[in-house]
Amino acid sequence: MKYSLIFPIYNETENIEVLYKRVKKVMDGLRKDYELIFVNDGSDDSTLSHLLVLHQKDKKVKIINFSRNFGHQVAVSAGLRFAKGENVAILDSDLQDPPEILPKFFSKLHEGYDAVYAIRKERKENFLKKFAYSSFYRFLRSIANIDIPLDSGDFCVMSRRIVEVINTLPERNRFVRGLRSWVGFKQTGLEYERDARLGGHSKYNLRRLFKLAFDGIFSFSYVPLQAMFYLGLVSLILSILGSIGAVYLRFFTTAYNRVPGFATTVILIMFVGGLMLFSVGIMGEYIRRIYDEIKQRPQFIIDSMVGFEE
Ligand code: UDP
Ligand code: MG
């Protein structure tokens, strides 16, 4: 098997037909053996029946059917686990990642790279979303302990050896683009224009976007923990200076009785309380992740697999 293409798919009925046609055209042009792995992430529309029809007429179409919705990143990870190809590609199923540029990506891979990831030249999304994405990636890059490329998502092609390494990483709150960077080897980016979603609407609501962002931050950075330490230190030093000041005012001046102090006290209590809660929250995020790992639950549960028989 030369190429495996992985498509995480969740309620994308509108897009399947066009997606399949466009992908098929591109891949047939490459004249090598390939497989199309659709990871059905608990869709509750007719996505699965559409996929089964495709499998009926084209055995290159393979389906991993989850028992429920486990999330995009988990679906991608499952696809990587079962992909057999020497070269593996990850694409969204809403045609935001145009399959037509795959040949260019694969040929870059054949030049000796282990991963070629796609860099979005321009996003066709509203201003707020663009701004949020772009600032998040810059923030993550500045605090992450690995080199996560800017403006690149999961859209990429990878060599077998990178896929094998990613498959050995057991972590559960997965941020696939981070794991890919973490593995290392020779990686490079190619620019592309990210299209608008073909049909339907985005499956990433605000909650899911925040989860993804937090997975990126807490899985690849200790800066939040260190920031707590330094914030604590600064407020400790300030409070010592404040106490010295108060003692001075009390014993060496007559100003003390004239300082009302009520507002100051309330603000300080609120500030310190807020700082403490915020810090505990950050620690909680790390602890939640430790707990998730310790439970050792499988990352996903498969209901059925179609086309993997051999
Ligand atoms: N997706 C998935 N499971 C989910 C959410 C999304 O498999 O829980 C798939 C979805 O079908 C699509 C890809 O992940 O193929 C990216 O999702 P989407 O286009 O909704 O995200 P956006 O492009 O808006 O960030
Ligand atoms: Mg999309």
Side-chain angles (χ1 to χ4, degrees):
M1 182 75 63
K2 181 70 182 166
Y3 300 115
S4 299
L5 273 57
I6 297 169
F7 300 93
I9 188 162
Y10 177 52
N11 293 348
E12 304 280 8
T13 315
E14 301 98 320
N15 301 323
I16 294 179
E17 216 49 52
V18 183
L19 174 69
Y20 172 73
K21 282 212 185 89
R22 279 175 59 181
V23 169
K24 178 101 188 130
K25 188 153 172 250
V26 173
M27 294 312 290
D28 282 345
L30 289 175
R31 299 180 185 289
K32 290 270 168 59
D33 201 12
Y34 67 90
E35 61 181 358
L36 308 176
I37 300 179
F38 288 88
V39 186
N40 175 28
D41 188 12
S43 300
D44 42 30
D45 65 354
S46 51
T47 295
L48 181 59
S49 49
H50 275 77
L51 289 174
L52 289 170
V53 171
L54 282 183
H55 171 74
Q56 281 306 316
K57 57 176 192 195
D58 183 353
K59 296 298 175 223
K60 290 185 180 347
V61 172
K62 302 179 180 181
I63 308 164
I64 298 171
N65 198 26
F66 279 179
S67 65
R68 63 168 170 84
N69 180 260
F70 279 91
H72 173 213
Q73 298 290 304
V74 178
V76 170
S77 306
L80 291 176
R81 198 79 67 78
F82 291 99
K84 289 269 169 355
E86 269 167 58
N87 298 161
V88 180
I90 300 170
L91 289 91
D92 282 355
S93 308
D94 55 0
L95 286 161
Q96 282 197 284
D97 308 329
E100 288 75 18
I101 62 176
L102 280 176
K104 204 168 106 194
F105 276 62
F106 284 131
S107 68
K108 195 88 190 157
L109 211 56
H110 299 150
E111 280 174 27
Y113 287 98
D114 285 287
V116 184
Y117 52 83
I119 302 170
R120 302 166 194 129
K121 243 194 310 209
E122 210 202 327
R123 271 178 177 275
K124 298 203 173 68
E125 257 138 351
N126 67 43
F127 168 77
L128 212 67
K129 218 171 169 180
K130 271 200 258 194
F131 176 75
Y133 273 109
S134 134
S135 32
F136 168 71
Y137 279 110
R138 272 145 194 88
F139 173 67
L140 180 62
R141 189 185 167 83
S142 66
I143 66 165
N145 48 22
I146 54 163
D147 200 15
I148 298 178
L150 287 174
D151 302 316
S152 69
D154 293 325
F155 184 22
C156 69
V157 298
M158 292 181 282
S159 69
R160 171 99 321 247
R161 65 171 178 171
I162 283 215
V163 174
E164 296 288 338
V165 179
I166 293 179
N167 287 344
T168 62
L169 305 177
E171 59 194 82
R172 279 152 185 81
N173 293 285
R174 295 177 87 80
F175 187 65
V176 176
R177 60 204 74 165
L179 296 176
R180 187 198 65 222
S181 306
W182 180 86
V183 171
F185 297 121
K186 240 177 111 185
Q187 307 204 6
T188 188
L190 280 183
E191 285 198 335
Y192 81 117
E193 245 172 74
R194 188 159 168 88
D195 291 330
R197 163 180 265 283
L198 182 73
H201 57 89
S202 172
K203 309 300 181 295
Y204 267 93
N205 53 26
L206 206 60
R207 193 170 59 87
R208 282 172 188 245
L209 278 177
F210 267 101
K211 167 155 181 13
L212 184 69
F214 279 8
D215 285 343
I217 293 169
F218 291 105
S219 303
F220 292 98
S221 177
Y222 304 110
V223 170
L225 277 177
Q226 289 156 342
M228 273 166 51
F229 174 81
Y230 287 111
L231 272 174
L233 191 67
V234 167
S235 65
L236 186 67
I237 291 171
L238 285 180
S239 71
I240 291 172
L241 292 178
S243 320
I244 295 172
V247 169
Y248 174 79
L249 288 178
R250 175 70 184 80
F251 290 107
F252 300 101
T253 70
T254 52
Y256 185 73
N257 292 330
R258 270 183 269 125
V259 179
F262 177 72
T264 328
T265 313
V266 171
I267 288 170
L268 273 179
I269 288 175
M270 276 170 36
F271 175 72
V272 173
L275 201 67
M276 296 289 278
L277 278 178
F278 185 67
S279 309
V280 171
I282 288 179
M283 271 204 305
E285 266 305 314
Y286 286 98
I287 292 172
R288 182 181 76 68
R289 276 149 217 279
I290 298 172
Y291 186 44
D292 261 358
E293 299 304 328
I294 271 179
K295 280 191 283 191
Q296 296 267 333
R297 287 188 191 151
Q299 283 168 32
F300 49 83
I301 296 166
I302 294 174
D303 179 343
S304 58
M305 291 181 59
V306 181
F308 290 88
E309 286 77 18
E310 357 76 69

